[in-house]
Amino acid sequence: MDALDLARWQFGITTVYHFILVPLTIGLTPLVALMQTMWYKTQKDHWLRLTKFFGKLLIINFALGVATGIVQEFQFGMNWSEYSRMVGDIFGAPLAIEALAAFFLESTFLGLWIFGWNRLSKKIHLWTIWLAAIGVNLSAYWILVANSFMQHPVGAKFNPETGRAELDDFIAVITNNTAVAAFTHTVTASFLTAGTFIAGIAAWWIVRAVRQGKEAQAREVWRPAAIFGMITIIISGIGVAITGHYQGQLMSQQQPMKMAAAEAICETENGAGLSLLTIGDLTNDCDRSKHILVIPGLASFMASNDFNGEFPGVKDVQAEMQERYAEQFGPDQDYTPNLFVTYWSFRLMIGLGVFSAALAGAALFLLRGGNVTNKKWFATLGLIAIPMPFLASNLGWIFTEMGRQPWVVAPNPANPVDNVYMLTAMGVSPSVTWLHVMISMVLFTLLYAALGVVWYKLMARYTKEGIDSGHTPDHDPEADDSATQMTFVY
């Protein structure tokens, strides 16, 4: 491998590690805030217990997310200096705002929430977690603004004298329809992740508590948590489907090659079907594979909202791009991403949502009418379902970034061909050798692996401890200072 391949692997590895943590933080923070709001409004003890229980898990996840996220931005200077030189004036602005405003907001108020149980009034303390939740989601938006510029550059112009892209319209950058679509899809997917996380843990604890003779705890604490998670799964699942469909339509307009690669369809056709599987050799020669279990017209509907609409083919888009960019990159440049990765990551991203749906359906059936259950399969289903949205979110990012290749900044088809775009091979640092990248990649991978073990052990430990850890059972929930009687242990 050369420095380019290793730099791509390094960024991919660190991103996948980091994005294991991100969706849970985005989704769980407002859900914890909602739990505390329900306690504030109803003064029911189980909502306070659940707030503190899931709050512990949120803080662990947040801390590890910060540790793994810092490395991301350093890589732009270390491994991708040519990319940073080319578009740094535009790409750096939303990242700077994210760090100086959104991250400051979320970290400050999350700190006040952690240490404010014994010091702030109930109302002010409730506001701290809501402001933290707003900050977390604002942070996500600014990062997606930066990423969406790479997917669909707007608000910029190319200066031939400096060889750099310059910011032309900041409002256009932050209102990029690609960013809006990515944000809504990411947030709804994060709520699905957090809802499955809550419902899965609650399902496991319901069965465990009943088998330990704590049926009252199962019914009064864990059943409401499971119902809460189930409702979140249903609402966010619908949101994921709607926002994903909108993204598919934008993708077909802005990055037709990515849409074609998602289905590995060779020739442009009307009424293209969505295949569930392929057999054969799914290499970048799409003719060597055969699609099976095809749903007629669905691929065209995803791309154009019309079951008989035109769907782009890989070969046709490749020929069009070769003709358009022949002068800059030569007539033989390959503009086709890795079809195996794009085809299967797209399907697995969607297919893993079945586990969340199954968990919500099981909870709806078994917990109806105030019931709880001791069925072991329900607990097992809860544990199995928990990691699936995490994997789906990561596969979504893999599809998004791998499907953009070979571009690090994909061209905007609505702009002239001499506008802002850049091949990935042109963005790598020229002075960094493969050895430098290899050393840092190995070190980061080992460090992230160690942090992953720490994250898992802490999450498992506090999950197993349950709601009784650090809780004073005889507090008076009606008293104004009831929150000061609790101990928030980390």
Side-chain angles (χ1 to χ4, degrees):
M1 289 187 179
D2 57 16
L4 171 62
D5 292 329
L6 290 172
R8 290 181 63 191
W9 270 104
Q10 184 181 46
F11 206 93
I13 290 169
T14 53
T15 299
V16 166
Y17 270 116
H18 179 57
F19 208 72
I20 291 173
L21 308 168
V22 169
L24 185 59
T25 298
I26 295 173
L28 189 57
T29 309
L31 292 182
V32 169
L34 188 56
M35 288 178 183
Q36 186 169 343
T37 301
M38 295 173 77
W39 169 69
Y40 179 81
K41 292 292 186 180
T42 66
Q43 290 298 303
K44 291 183 178 179
D45 179 67
H46 66 270
W47 288 118
L48 177 60
R49 291 187 171 201
L50 290 171
T51 299
K52 294 198 167 203
F53 173 77
F54 285 105
K56 293 178 185 180
L57 303 181
L58 169 64
I59 298 304
I60 295 167
N61 198 75
F62 180 84
L64 270 294
V66 172
T68 56
I70 291 174
V71 176
Q72 299 294 96
E73 295 185 14
F74 281 110
Q75 291 180 77
F76 294 121
M78 293 188 301
N79 296 343
W80 302 99
S81 61
E82 284 301 298
Y83 163 78
S84 298
R85 185 193 65 80
M86 168 70 173
V87 298
D89 289 352
I90 306 102
F91 185 80
L95 292 182
I97 295 173
E98 186 275 331
L100 295 174
F103 180 73
F104 179 80
L105 178 68
E106 66 186 86
S107 57
T108 299
F109 284 100
L110 198 56
L112 288 171
W113 183 71
I114 295 169
F115 300 106
W117 284 94
N118 299 327
R119 297 170 177 83
L120 301 175
S121 68
K122 289 180 183 179
K123 189 173 184 178
I124 297 299
H125 188 256
L126 177 61
W127 269 109
T128 61
I129 187 62
W130 275 113
L131 288 170
I134 292 170
V136 165
N137 283 269
L138 282 175
S139 182
Y141 186 75
W142 286 112
I143 291 171
L144 288 168
V145 165
N147 181 267
S148 295
F149 177 80
M150 301 167 69
Q151 310 287 341
H152 180 235
V154 295
K157 61 182 179 180
F158 182 73
N159 187 335
E161 295 181 2
T162 62
R164 302 178 64 191
E166 296 177 350
L167 184 63
D168 185 52
D169 187 348
F170 183 66
I171 299 300
V173 173
I174 64 176
T175 58
N176 189 346
N177 57 2
T178 309
V180 174
F183 176 72
T184 54
H185 191 58
T186 300
V187 168
T188 51
S190 297
F191 273 102
L192 180 63
T193 301
T196 306
F197 182 78
I198 292 171
I201 290 175
W204 181 76
W205 259 110
I206 285 172
V207 175
R208 187 183 190 194
V210 171
R211 293 191 169 208
Q212 291 177 346
K214 301 177 181 178
E215 187 170 328
Q217 184 187 99
R219 179 172 287 103
E220 295 168 7
V221 179
W222 296 115
R223 184 182 178 278
I227 299 298
F228 182 82
M230 180 195 69
I231 293 172
T232 303
I233 290 171
I234 294 172
I235 295 173
S236 59
I238 295 172
V240 168
I242 294 172
T243 57
H245 179 56
Y246 177 60
Q247 267 200 312
Q249 293 178 307
L250 277 182
M251 190 192 309
S252 66
Q253 301 167 16
Q254 299 171 354
Q255 298 185 62
M257 178 59 88
K258 184 188 290 187
M259 194 66 187
E263 301 302 326
I265 292 177
C266 290
E267 310 288 346
T268 299
E269 58 182 276
N270 293 323
L274 175 70
S275 62
L276 302 182
L277 300 170
T278 64
I279 56 175
D281 183 14
L282 187 60
T283 63
N284 277 27
D285 182 0
C286 52
D287 285 326
R288 300 174 65 180
S289 62
K290 178 178 176 59
H291 294 181
I292 58 176
L293 299 178
V294 177
I295 303 174
L298 187 55
S300 287
F301 178 78
M302 292 170 63
S304 62
N305 229 23
D306 181 359
F307 286 101
N308 294 312
E310 183 178 273
F311 190 89
V314 171
K315 288 185 175 181
D316 294 318
V317 178
Q318 167 69 14
E320 180 184 339
M321 298 187 83
Q322 279 183 325
E323 181 180 355
R324 180 178 299 176
Y325 301 107
E327 184 177 343
Q328 293 98 322
F329 309 123
D332 299 323
Q333 173 67 43
D334 186 6
Y335 298 98
T336 305
N338 188 306
L339 295 182
F340 179 86
V341 172
T342 52
Y343 181 88
W344 286 111
S345 61
F346 186 74
R347 274 145 189 78
L348 290 172
M349 173 188 67
I350 298 172
L352 290 174
V354 171
F355 290 89
S356 297
L359 178 60
L364 184 65
F365 176 74
L366 292 176
L367 306 182
R368 67 191 186 282
N371 293 326
V372 291
T373 181
N374 65 352
K375 296 184 182 298
K376 188 176 180 180
W377 67 264
F378 184 52
T380 303
L381 175 61
L383 295 179
I384 292 174
I386 288 173
M388 298 308 170
F390 289 87
L391 294 174
S393 296
N394 256 305
L395 287 164
W397 273 111
I398 289 171
F399 168 74
T400 299
E401 302 308 307
M402 290 290 287
R404 189 185 65 236
Q405 298 304 316
W407 304 100
V408 67
V409 180
N412 185 338
N415 285 348
V417 295
D418 61 347
N419 210 281
V420 178
Y421 49 80
M422 189 178 202
L423 291 174
T424 304
M426 298 168 60
V428 72
S429 300
S431 60
V432 175
T433 67
W434 71 270
L435 183 60
H436 293 141
V437 184
M438 176 64 79
I439 291 171
S440 60
M441 183 174 72
V442 170
L443 290 175
F444 282 140
T445 302
L446 293 175
L447 174 62
Y448 277 27
L451 290 174
V453 172
V454 171
W455 174 80
Y456 176 78
K457 286 187 174 294
L458 288 174
M459 296 290 272
R461 171 188 169 186
Y462 284 106
T463 298
K464 291 177 181 177
E465 284 188 0
I467 59 171
D468 293 326
S469 177
H471 182 79
T472 305
D474 58 351
H475 75 284
D476 180 7
E478 299 297 329
D480 288 342
D481 296 329
S482 62
T484 65
Q485 306 302 317
M486 309 301 162
T487 303
F488 212 12
V489 180
Y490 292 98

